[in-house]
Amino acid sequence: MNKKAVALISGGLDSILAAKVVMDQGFDIIGLYCTSAFSKSYGNEQETHAVKVSRALGIDLRIFDMGQEYIELVRRPAHGYGKNTNPCIDCKIFMLKKARAIMDELGAPFVVTGEVLGQRPMSQRRDTLQVIERDADMRGLIMRPLSAKLLPPTKAELAGQIDREKLLSISGRSRNVQLRLAERFGIRGYSAPAGGCLLTDKNFSAKLRDLFEDKVAIDPNDIRLLTVGRHFRIDTGVKIVVGRDNA
């Protein structure tokens, strides 16, 4: 049996814990960290929590820039936005498709995610998890170790490749169980929940909507400019950006 598995690693506690739970069943984890112009750490990926924690746990981490394709997804998400301009369902599907390519390359039996049933109102409901599996063409191939006992068994569990009894049954928005597990495993240096995505920020989202309305063609440089200074739209096609400091 192939004892490699692919894991989506964000640098947050849930994704790291999910990978660790699978590692403790003898699997080597190949991590995938997806970055984009909407990531606060864009251009400084080697300094991220994902890289540092993966290194500490012995996870082989691959960094993937989602690039122009992802900008177009954010502009027109099939499943809509969350509270701001965060297309969480489409984003997860996009990343899982990239992880699936690595899974097939390695002949690995599944992809690991840190999703927790009921933790996020848009993308981690029971029905939404099924939509994500369907649209990513990964039915039975997504291992969610933190909530696995509350979800249907994956193909790997049914085949005896992984012990379901050693998986967890976490649900809801409280992170008390995860914090206790982090203490037990000695995991430190992870990022704050949802702390790395600009698309969840109200002010950034307002500027992004304005940009989408004003320009047909948008590239990563346009996105990064939105993070600098104060922006004022004074006319169609004309914007003033006022620097906040000398730099």
Side-chain angles (χ1 to χ4, degrees):
M1 180 181 68
N2 191 330
K3 295 290 282 187
K4 291 183 182 294
V6 180
L8 291 177
I9 301 292
S10 67
L13 179 55
D14 290 342
S15 68
I16 295 296
L17 281 176
K20 174 62 175 169
V21 169
V22 173
M23 289 173 73
D24 283 355
Q25 293 207 33
F27 282 83
D28 292 326
I29 294 292
I30 291 81
L32 178 64
Y33 174 65
C34 294
T35 186
S36 77
F38 303 104
S39 303
K40 292 180 181 178
S41 58
Y42 191 60
N44 296 295
E45 284 77 14
Q46 292 301 324
E47 300 302 316
T48 60
H49 297 282
V51 169
K52 294 175 181 178
V53 179
S54 294
R55 187 181 299 129
L57 289 179
I59 294 173
D60 176 14
L61 188 68
R62 301 186 184 185
I63 298 173
F64 173 68
D65 187 341
M66 297 188 286
Q68 192 67 38
E69 185 181 2
Y70 187 68
I71 293 175
E72 298 309 316
L73 179 152
V74 172
R75 191 166 197 161
R76 299 180 182 86
H79 296 282
Y81 296 115
K83 188 175 181 180
N84 293 294
T85 51
N86 46 311
C88 296
I89 297 174
D90 293 274
C91 180
K92 183 65 72 172
I93 292 167
F94 184 93
M95 292 190 291
L96 282 166
K97 286 180 177 179
K98 302 305 177 183
R100 172 66 185 268
I102 300 174
M103 184 190 93
D104 292 341
E105 169 198 330
L106 299 172
F110 52 82
V111 171
V112 181
T113 80
E115 291 163 299
V116 172
L117 183 64
Q119 186 181 90
R120 299 193 185 283
M122 182 180 185
S123 61
Q124 294 182 14
R125 302 191 314 266
R126 189 179 297 273
D127 60 323
T128 305
L129 295 179
Q130 294 173 349
V131 168
I132 289 170
E133 287 201 13
R134 180 197 70 198
D135 289 7
D137 193 23
M138 292 192 67
R139 286 188 175 95
L141 299 175
I142 303 174
M143 178 68 62
R144 300 175 171 106
L146 302 187
S147 295
K149 288 184 177 179
L150 303 175
L151 300 169
T154 59
K155 292 179 180 180
E157 292 166 75
L158 294 172
Q161 294 172 299
I162 196 161
D163 186 350
R164 183 174 174 85
E165 291 306 309
K166 294 180 181 178
L167 304 176
L168 303 171
S169 56
I170 303 173
S171 66
R173 306 193 72 171
S174 171
R175 294 178 182 266
N176 291 335
V177 177
Q178 291 96 310
L179 292 171
R180 289 197 297 270
L181 286 171
E183 187 68 24
R184 186 201 304 174
F185 292 143
I187 296 174
R188 297 177 179 82
Y190 48 85
S191 62
C197 181
L198 291 165
L199 295 169
T200 62
D201 181 87
K202 180 180 178 180
N203 293 327
F204 178 86
S205 294
K207 289 185 282 188
L208 181 62
R209 289 190 184 97
D210 173 78
L211 180 64
F212 283 158
E213 290 174 4
D214 188 63
K215 291 192 69 176
V216 174
I218 296 170
D219 62 32
N221 288 329
D222 295 312
I223 302 300
R224 299 312 292 174
L225 181 60
L226 298 184
T227 68
V228 178
R230 301 175 65 197
H231 291 231
F232 300 91
R233 176 73 62 188
I234 61 170
D235 197 356
T236 303
V238 180
K239 177 194 280 188
I240 296 174
V241 181
V242 181
R244 294 181 184 274
D245 52 40
N246 188 56

